[in-house]
Amino acid sequence: MRRRDEKFPENGFEAWGGYMQAKIAKLEEQFCVSAGKEEALSDIFNGVSIYVNGFTVPSADELKVLMSKHGGTYHTYQRSDDYIIASNLPDTKVKNMNLSRVVKPEWITDCLKSNRLLDYREYLLFKNSRTQRQLNFSKVIKNNDSIPATSKVPDVKNEPDSFNKNLIENSNIIFENEPSMQDVLPTESELDMKKSSNLHVQTVSKAHSGPVTKTAADPNFIAEFYNNSRLHHISQLGACFKQHINDLRENSNFQFPARVQLKEKILNSNNFNTFTQLKFEKNKVIMHIDMDCFFVSVGLRSRPELRGKPVAVTHSKGGQGRPKREGVDRHAEFNLYKQKQIKKFSMSTGKPENEVVIETRIDSIGDENEKYGSMSEIASCSYEAREKGLGNGMFMGAALKLCPDLQTIPYDFDGYKEVAYTLYNTIAQYTLDVEAVSCDEMYVDCTELLADMKVNVQSFATMLREEIKNKTGCPCSTGFGGNRLQARLATKRAKPDGQFFLTEDLVEDFIYEIKLRDLPGVGRQTAQKLEALGHITCGSLQSLSLASLKSQLGNKTGAQLFDQCRGRDQHPLSFLTVRKSVSAEVNYGIRFENSNQCIDFLKQLSAEVHSRMQQFKVVGKCITLKLMVRDEEAPVETAKFMGHGFCNVINKSTTLNKATNDVEVITKEVLAICKKQNIDPKEMRGIGIQVTKLEPLNSKPSKGTINKFLANNIKSEIKTESTASEGVSVISGRTIEKRTPTKVKKVISTKSPLGKRRGRPPKSLKLLQSSTRNVGPSKSVPSTSKNLPSTSKKVMNNFLQGQNAPRDLPYKNPMIKESLPKEEPPVKKEPKGMIGLPWKTVRDMLRAWLNSDQSPLQYDVNMIVEYLQEMILTKDIEHLFILMNFLRRVTREVGSDVWLKVYDSIYEQVQNMMVAVYGKKLHVFDD
DNA sequence: ATCCTCCCCTAC
DNA sequence: TAAGGTAGGGGAGGAT
C-alpha cells in the first residue's frame, strides 16, 4: 500500500507566508543540506539545546539545521533545559510558562553573525519581573509592575538573573547539553545594570535573607508545579490513553489490515514451527503488556552509555548536602507518621501497639544536611538499581545509601507521551480490544485476534515485542493468561524484556507461590492485615474460607481475594472508560502568609478544575474541598522541602441542585466551605478540589431525529452490555452479588461516554461487535464491509463508511451536514504544494502546524485539503484514513475552537470528495 | 434492603 | 532543596 516513494515535489509555489509552505520549503532545504555534507561548521552552540515554539524566522526547520551545523541540539519536544525560541506566544501560553528562557530567534542568528555565543538574556522575548529568577544578593524589580507579561514592548531591561546555579553545581548529574559557565555567563550583568538606569529600580531588602522560594502564593505556581509533577503527568497520561482507546474504538471499523503483514512475518520467521499450541483457561487469551521501567527506558534512548548501570529518574541528584532549614525535625515528623501507622495497624489487627513493628521508607534516610539526606523521590529506576534494593518512590537519600554510584537522569515528559502513543498505536493496528491502564500498560484481549490470524501466541508475542522495541527504542514485557489476573502476574514473571505464558496447566502451581502483596489490589495495608492473619502467599490464603475472608476484609474485597489466590478473576476487560470525577489538588508548596493568598489560590485551583471540566465536557453536582492541615504536633518546617509534612486531612462537600461547571459557582462553593473550617492559612499544607456526580455537558443544540437515533442506539448498547456481563458471570460460575445491575445502572446514568462528543451513530453497535466478551445479540449484526461494492483494492473497504451511505443517496445519512453540497472542492490549478510528499512527512508537518501556536491560515487549510483529496483520487485511502484520524485527534487535543473548525472544514471537504468519487464517506468520525 | 456520604486504599 | 496527582473501588455507618 506504500505506493508513494520518498521524493519531493518540484518547487513551484509563488505565494509565500503560509505555515505549511514555509514548512515545505524548509523541509526541502533541510533535506538538501543534510543530503549535502555532514561536517559541522562551528561549535558555537556547543552544549546549547533549543526548542522552537511557534512561528519563527528563521523557521524551526532552519534552526534545526543551524543548530546541528554549529554544535547545538534541536529538540522536537521541549525539555527542561532547552532554550525556547519564539517570536511571539499566545496569551494563554504566556500565563503558564516560565519565561526566563524564552528567547528570540535573533539570538541564534546574531550568534552566528558574530561567530560566538552571545548572552541569551539580551534576547529574552519578555523582559520583566516574570523572566527574572531569584537573586542571591539583590533583586531589582520594576516600579510599575502593572505592565502585562504579554506586552509586546520590552521596554524594560532588568538586571539579568544569575545563571541557574544548580545546573552547574552538581557535577555528578547527567545533564544533556548543559551550557558551560563561561559560554553563557559573560560579564554583562553590570552592563545590564547600567542600561537599566532609565528605569525606576529598587532593591528588595528581603533579598539579603537568601533566595526567595516559590510557594503556592506565587501567581504561576500551579502551572509550574504541575509541569514538574511526575504524579500529575502519570495521572494525566493515563486518562489520555484511556480516552485514546475510546476514540480509536469509536472511529474504527474494526478491520485490521496490519494483521496480514504481521502474519506473513510470523510465517516467514524460522522459529514459527518450534512453538507448541498453548491452552489458556476458558480458551481466552488475555495479554498484559507493560513497558520496563518506563521513564528510565525513555531517558536511556538518548543516553546509551548508561545502559547496564543503575539509573534513576528524579528531579534532584542528592549527594550534596542541602541548605539547612531552620526548624526541621525529621525525627519528630517521621515518628508521627510511624505512630499513626502503628495505631492503624493495631486497630485493624487487634495486636497491641507496643508489639507492632513496622518499617517505613523514612527509616533509612539521613538528616537533611547529610550526604544521604535527599528527599527527592525516585520516579523510576533501572533493573540494575533494583538489584541493589532500590524501588520507585524511594527517596534519593535512601537510594544513594544503597547504591552510591547511582546515575540520575532528568524527566522527559514529552518523551513519555511520544513513546506511549507509539506503543498504543502499534497495538491498535492489530486489535482495539484494549483496556488502557496507564501510559505504559494495558490489557489486550487477543482471543479474536489470534483466532483470526491463525498464528500461535508465542510468535505473536515475540513479533509484537520486537516491533514495539524497534519503534520506541524501549523494551517491554508481556504476560498471557486466561484472565486479567493471570496475564498480569505473568508479566511480572516475564520482566524484564520478556514474555511469559501462564497456561491453564500452570496456573495452580504458579499462583501458589505468588505473594499476596503482589496481587493487584493488595497494597501495603491489606498485605499487613493478611500477614497479621498469618498469610504471606496465595497458597497459604487458600486455606481461608470465603466467609472468613469476607468478614475480615469486607464482602467484595474478601470475595475478590478468595478468587485471586486461586488464580481466578471474574472482571472482564473494559474497553470503554467513563469518567466519574474531575479533580485537581496540590499538596506541595502550600505556604500561605494570610488568608488572601489562600483565597487567591483557591480561585486558581477552581479555575483549573473548571478548565478540566470543560476539556472533558462535563458538568457536576457535588463539589468537595480537601484540605491538608499541619497536625499540631508536627514541626512547622517540614522534613521535605516544601512538602506537606504530617497533616490532618479534612474533606467537605456540597451537593448542588443543578450540575454545573461554572467557575464562579465552583469558586463560591469552595470558598464557602473553606471559610467554614476556620483554619489558620499559615497551617495549610495541601488543597484539593473535586467534582463528582458528573453529567455530560450538553453543548449541542438538539437535532431532533438525529438525537433520537442516538438515544436508541445507546440503549441497545446498554442492553447488550448487561447481557454480556451476566453471560460472563454465569460461565465463570462465581457468586456475584449485585455487580451486574450496578454496572448497568452506571452505564445508563451516563448515557453517552463522558468527555467525548455525543453523537456517534453506528459506533455503539460496532463497539460491541468485535468485543470478544459479547456473546449476545450483537454478534448477529452483519459486517459493515459486506455491504460495500468491491473495489480493486480490497483493503479500501476497511475504511469506507458502509452504513447509511448508499452510492446514490448520500444525503440520507443523518450525519451528513446540510451544507455539504454547497461549495465545490477548491480549484487546484496553483502550485502543487504538499502533493507528492510522503504521508508520514505530512503527518509530522500537521503535528508541527498544530503545535505552532499560529492561527491557521486558510491557505494552509486549502493546501492540506488538496493533499488529502489527491489521496482520494490516487486511492490511497489507507493513509488518508490515518491522516484524518490523526488530524481529528490532534485538533481535539489542542481543543480550541478555531482548530476544531479547521478540522470540520477539512473533514467536510474530504467527505465531499469521497462521496463524489466513491459515493461513500470515509469511515471515520461522527461529527 | 438499599442508598448516600465520608472516608480509606490502591494503582500508575 | 523539590515539584507528595488523580481516579476508581469499596467499606462503615447512618438515612431512607
Side-chain angles (χ1 to χ4, degrees):
Chain A
M1 211 46 206
R2 207 143 302 195
R3 23 154 247 100
R4 291 174 184 282
D5 46 10
E6 311 263 321
K7 65 166 183 252
F8 288 87
E10 54 273 54
N11 201 345
F13 23 87
E14 34 278 277
W16 190 255
Y19 179 88
M20 280 300 174
Q21 280 178 315
K23 281 276 176 209
I24 294 163
K26 295 316 151 202
L27 198 66
E28 190 179 26
E29 196 176 300
Q30 179 195 346
F31 180 76
C32 295
V33 171
S34 60
K37 33 188 182 164
E38 232 82 63
E39 88 275 22
L41 301 175
S42 82
D43 58 358
I44 297 176
F45 297 121
N46 207 355
V48 174
S49 69
I50 65 164
Y51 165 78
V52 178
N53 191 332
F55 183 79
T56 55
V57 181
S59 73
D61 291 317
E62 250 168 346
L63 288 168
K64 183 176 184 178
V65 174
L66 291 176
M67 289 307 276
S68 77
K69 287 280 158 192
H70 297 274
T73 307
Y74 173 96
H75 286 144
T76 325
Y77 297 93
Q78 188 185 341
R79 308 206 186 167
S80 57
D81 43 353
D82 284 340
Y83 291 90
I84 299 155
I85 309 295
S87 291
N88 60 19
L89 288 172
D91 222 25
T92 47
K93 269 246 164 99
V94 169
K95 267 185 237 155
N96 294 320
M97 110 189 242
N98 178 359
L99 301 173
S100 63
R101 283 194 156 220
V102 180
V103 188
K104 289 184 271 190
E106 285 79 4
W107 178 45
I108 304 288
T109 45
D110 285 2
C111 284
L112 291 172
K113 274 182 211 156
S114 52
N115 205 23
R116 69 186 183 98
L117 191 68
L118 305 171
D119 186 356
Y120 73 94
R121 292 164 301 191
E122 294 284 356
Y123 295 89
L124 284 174
L125 187 58
F126 299 105
K127 295 181 182 176
N128 57 31
S129 62
R130 292 247 345 257
T131 57
Q132 185 165 322
R133 271 188 227 120
Q134 64 223 30
L135 299 171
N136 282 332
F137 303 108
S138 67
K139 186 177 178 183
V140 185
I141 61 164
K142 283 193 310 229
N143 223 4
N144 175 5
D145 209 8
S146 64
I147 298 171
T150 46
S151 167
K152 288 286 178 329
V153 205
D155 53 343
V156 185
K157 181 138 269 198
N158 290 324
E159 190 211 342
D161 52 291
S162 60
F163 193 73
N164 198 341
K165 272 174 56 193
N166 36 4
L167 294 183
I168 304 156
E169 281 170 2
N170 304 312
S171 51
N172 75 330
I173 309 158
I174 299 98
F175 255 117
E176 202 175 72
N177 307 317
E178 192 46 50
S180 62
M181 186 79 161
Q182 67 276 19
D183 281 341
V184 197
L185 194 61
T187 55
E188 281 162 22
S189 328
E190 301 92 330
L191 201 71
D192 261 341
M193 281 295 261
K194 280 171 207 157
K195 278 184 193 162
S196 67
S197 56
N198 59 336
L199 320 162
H200 306 283
V201 293
Q202 68 178 105
T203 302
V204 177
S205 52
K206 172 183 178 181
H208 285 285
S209 63
V212 183
T213 52
K214 273 216 156 174
T215 70
D218 277 272
N220 204 30
F221 180 81
I222 292 187
E224 187 162 332
F225 168 68
Y226 277 146
N227 216 5
N228 289 301
S229 163
R230 78 183 195 283
L231 290 172
H232 172 76
H233 280 93
I234 288 171
S235 183
Q236 295 295 296
L237 285 178
C240 164
F241 286 100
K242 284 173 186 173
Q243 186 61 44
H244 186 47
I245 289 297
N246 280 357
D247 289 346
L248 288 175
R249 286 182 66 87
E250 194 178 330
N251 296 326
S252 174
N253 59 0
F254 291 93
Q255 306 289 313
F256 302 98
R259 285 183 187 178
V260 178
Q261 292 141 33
L262 182 66
K263 179 170 183 175
E264 226 164 80
K265 222 167 132 191
I266 289 176
L267 293 179
N268 289 335
S269 70
N270 32 18
N271 56 6
F272 175 65
N273 288 318
T274 66
F275 293 121
T276 53
Q277 188 67 31
L278 299 184
K279 186 176 182 311
F280 296 94
E281 212 174 272
K282 296 190 187 82
N283 286 319
K284 294 199 75 169
V285 188
I286 306 298
M287 171 173 76
H288 178 249
I289 182 162
D290 192 1
M291 304 298 286
D292 299 333
C293 41
F294 186 51
F295 286 11
V296 169
S297 297
V298 173
L300 287 187
R301 293 185 307 170
S302 54
R303 300 171 178 82
E305 71 281 6
L306 293 182
R307 288 191 192 278
K309 294 183 178 170
V311 178
V313 174
T314 163
H315 276 298
S316 179
K317 339 302 157 202
Q320 285 73 26
R322 269 136 295 286
K324 175 96 181 151
R325 282 178 291 126
E326 217 48 51
V328 173
D329 186 344
R330 289 197 170 191
H331 285 293
E333 188 174 318
F334 295 167
N335 216 19
L336 289 168
Y337 278 112
K338 207 158 176 170
Q339 289 307 317
K340 185 177 174 184
Q341 183 66 24
I342 288 173
K343 211 167 173 177
K344 201 186 297 174
F345 184 77
S346 157
M347 280 238 281
S348 68
T349 62
K351 219 171 169 182
E353 283 186 29
N354 54 11
E355 284 178 30
V356 178
V357 182
I358 283 173
E359 182 127 349
T360 68
R361 67 169 176 169
I362 35 202
D363 291 328
S364 51
I365 200 160
D367 273 339
E368 55 166 336
N369 50 349
E370 280 178 13
K371 192 176 171 194
Y372 301 127
S374 168
M375 287 188 75
S376 175
E377 283 173 43
I378 287 175
S380 175
C381 58
S382 66
Y383 279 87
E384 292 77 10
R386 291 178 201 203
E387 272 168 26
K388 306 217 175 167
L390 273 66
N392 297 351
M394 188 179 267
F395 289 130
M396 255 317 267
L400 282 171
K401 220 180 229 181
L402 292 169
C403 179
D405 59 337
L406 182 65
Q407 310 283 321
T408 66
I409 57 177
Y411 287 90
D412 174 12
F413 293 116
D414 291 315
Y416 309 147
K417 190 167 187 176
E418 187 191 347
V419 170
Y421 263 115
T422 309
L423 167 69
Y424 271 87
N425 292 339
T426 301
I427 304 290
Q429 299 175 92
Y430 305 119
T431 180
L432 286 174
D433 291 346
V434 173
E435 176 181 322
V437 177
S438 69
C439 63
D440 76 323
E441 183 185 344
M442 70 187 99
Y443 291 98
V444 183
D445 191 334
C446 299
T447 318
E448 184 266 341
L449 158 80
L450 292 171
D452 178 49
M453 286 177 64
K454 299 186 181 65
V455 297
N456 58 57
V457 64
Q458 299 97 317
S459 307
F460 172 71
T462 310
M463 289 300 179
L464 182 67
R465 289 204 306 113
E466 193 181 302
E467 184 179 349
I468 291 168
K469 197 174 195 170
N470 287 340
K471 282 185 177 171
T472 65
C474 302
C476 69
S477 303
T478 56
F480 291 79
N483 61 42
R484 83 158 66 210
L485 172 70
Q486 291 172 10
R488 172 102 200 259
L489 295 173
T491 304
K492 200 171 170 69
R493 166 69 67 91
K495 274 175 175 294
D497 197 12
Q499 52 202 35
F500 185 76
F501 307 90
L502 185 46
T503 47
E504 194 173 27
D505 53 319
L506 295 178
V507 171
E508 196 177 331
D509 288 341
F510 179 90
I511 197 77
Y512 200 87
E513 305 296 335
I514 296 291
K515 292 210 167 57
L516 290 166
R517 181 63 234 256
D518 290 337
L519 291 175
V522 177
R524 214 170 41 132
Q525 310 293 332
T526 317
Q528 262 176 19
K529 258 190 216 179
L530 292 169
E531 192 176 343
L533 295 173
H535 300 287
I536 301 289
T537 65
C538 286
S540 142
L541 198 69
Q542 287 173 12
S543 64
L544 224 53
S545 72
L546 176 61
S548 67
L549 263 173
K550 281 184 174 180
S551 74
Q552 298 283 340
L553 297 145
N555 278 329
K556 292 229 179 151
T557 317
Q560 163 143 328
L561 223 36
F562 184 84
D563 276 352
Q564 283 182 318
C565 71
R566 288 166 176 77
R568 300 174 193 159
D569 188 346
Q570 50 130 335
H571 300 296
L573 302 194
S574 96
F575 307 138
L576 179 77
T577 51
V578 176
R579 176 179 285 270
K580 299 190 191 75
S581 71
V582 176
S583 68
E585 65 184 283
V586 177
N587 302 310
Y588 177 85
I590 302 290
R591 297 290 188 281
F592 300 129
E593 287 160 15
N594 54 52
S595 59
N596 281 342
Q597 291 181 348
C598 177
I599 289 169
D600 199 59
F601 185 81
L602 284 167
K603 284 181 186 167
Q604 288 182 55
L605 202 60
S606 299
E608 177 69 32
V609 171
H610 159 76
S611 118
R612 292 184 194 184
M613 292 181 78
Q614 281 206 312
Q615 186 189 337
F616 306 132
K617 298 188 169 42
V618 288
V619 289
K621 261 190 154 172
C622 185
I623 298 172
T624 307
L625 176 67
K626 174 186 164 188
L627 297 174
M628 292 184 83
V629 185
R630 181 181 72 87
D631 184 276
E632 48 184 12
E633 305 219 14
V636 174
E637 199 64 43
T638 55
K640 189 190 193 109
F641 175 71
M642 284 293 138
H644 55 60
F646 186 74
C647 283
N648 296 308
V649 181
I650 300 169
N651 264 292
K652 297 285 168 194
S653 66
T654 313
T655 303
L656 308 168
N657 291 325
K658 194 170 162 290
T660 185
N661 70 352
D662 187 329
V663 66
E664 300 294 330
V665 177
I666 297 171
T667 310
K668 195 185 116 216
E669 298 298 336
V670 160
L671 288 177
I673 301 173
C674 186
K675 203 169 176 185
K676 241 189 258 173
Q677 310 312 311
N678 215 3
I679 290 163
D680 182 352
K682 293 192 183 69
E683 307 292 5
M684 298 238 195
R685 292 291 182 270
I687 293 182
I689 296 171
Q690 185 185 41
V691 181
T692 50
K693 295 189 182 170
L694 300 184
E695 295 166 18
L697 171 66
N698 243 326
S699 55
K700 290 197 173 174
S702 164
K703 279 189 194 166
T705 54
I706 292 179
N707 272 354
K708 261 183 226 159
F709 174 65
L710 287 175
N712 288 337
N713 224 328
I714 286 154
K715 261 181 215 154
S716 75
E717 174 184 340
I718 292 160
K719 207 168 174 189
T720 324
E721 186 118 27
S722 74
T723 340
S725 297
E726 272 159 15
V728 168
S729 46
V730 170
I731 291 165
S732 63
R734 310 257 341 95
T735 48
I736 306 162
E737 292 88 326
K738 306 288 151 36
R739 188 164 181 285
T740 303
T742 328
K743 266 271 166 1
V744 171
K745 196 187 164 195
K746 276 175 187 165
V747 176
I748 290 170
S749 70
T750 47
K751 285 232 168 64
S752 97
L754 302 182
K756 58 192 1 232
R757 322 182 72 88
R758 306 170 57 76
R760 13 175 280 226
K763 309 289 166 35
S764 352
L765 289 175
K766 271 184 284 141
L767 191 138
L768 292 163
Q769 199 178 327
S770 83
S771 156
T772 49
R773 79 190 135 106
N774 287 295
V775 288
S778 62
K779 266 273 160 80
S780 63
V781 175
S783 164
T784 55
S785 59
K786 273 188 197 155
N787 304 335
L788 298 171
S790 62
T791 7
S792 56
K793 294 189 181 192
K794 196 180 157 197
V795 73
M796 202 180 300
N797 273 350
N798 298 333
F799 304 98
L800 298 178
Q801 188 171 15
Q803 294 187 355
N804 301 324
R807 170 176 289 275
D808 45 345
L809 295 170
Y811 305 125
K812 285 226 171 131
N813 184 334
M815 297 330 281
I816 291 186
K817 294 197 174 93
E818 304 292 321
S819 61
L820 186 137
K822 75 176 165 227
E823 45 181 299
E824 284 177 23
V827 198
K828 17 171 222 171
K829 50 164 193 166
E830 254 194 301
K832 279 202 165 183
M834 302 162 80
I835 292 169
L837 292 176
W839 71 272
K840 277 192 177 175
T841 308
V842 172
R843 183 195 55 194
D844 293 342
M845 289 165 70
L846 290 173
R847 185 183 286 127
W849 186 44
L850 274 139
N851 289 329
S852 71
D853 296 312
Q854 264 195 295
S855 309
L857 295 181
Q858 188 60 47
Y859 197 94
D860 286 334
V861 175
N862 291 344
M863 195 150 65
I864 289 156
V865 169
E866 275 172 36
Y867 180 84
L868 296 171
Q869 291 182 334
E870 177 71 15
M871 294 178 99
I872 297 174
L873 292 172
T874 57
K875 301 187 170 43
D876 192 6
I877 306 299
E878 182 187 346
H879 296 126
L880 172 68
F881 178 78
I882 294 172
L883 285 181
M884 286 301 285
N885 262 313
F886 174 81
L887 203 56
R888 178 179 189 274
R889 175 171 63 75
V890 187
T891 46
R892 268 150 191 69
E893 268 169 29
V894 174
S896 71
D897 273 347
V898 55
W899 284 107
L900 292 175
K901 276 190 191 133
V902 164
Y903 171 78
D904 284 344
S905 156
I906 293 173
Y907 170 79
E908 188 177 326
Q909 295 181 63
V910 165
Q911 293 293 28
N912 274 350
M913 179 71 101
M914 283 298 293
V915 172
V917 175
Y918 291 108
K920 291 180 272 291
K921 292 172 65 170
L922 186 69
H923 180 95
V924 273
F925 333 118
D926 48 66
D927 42 357

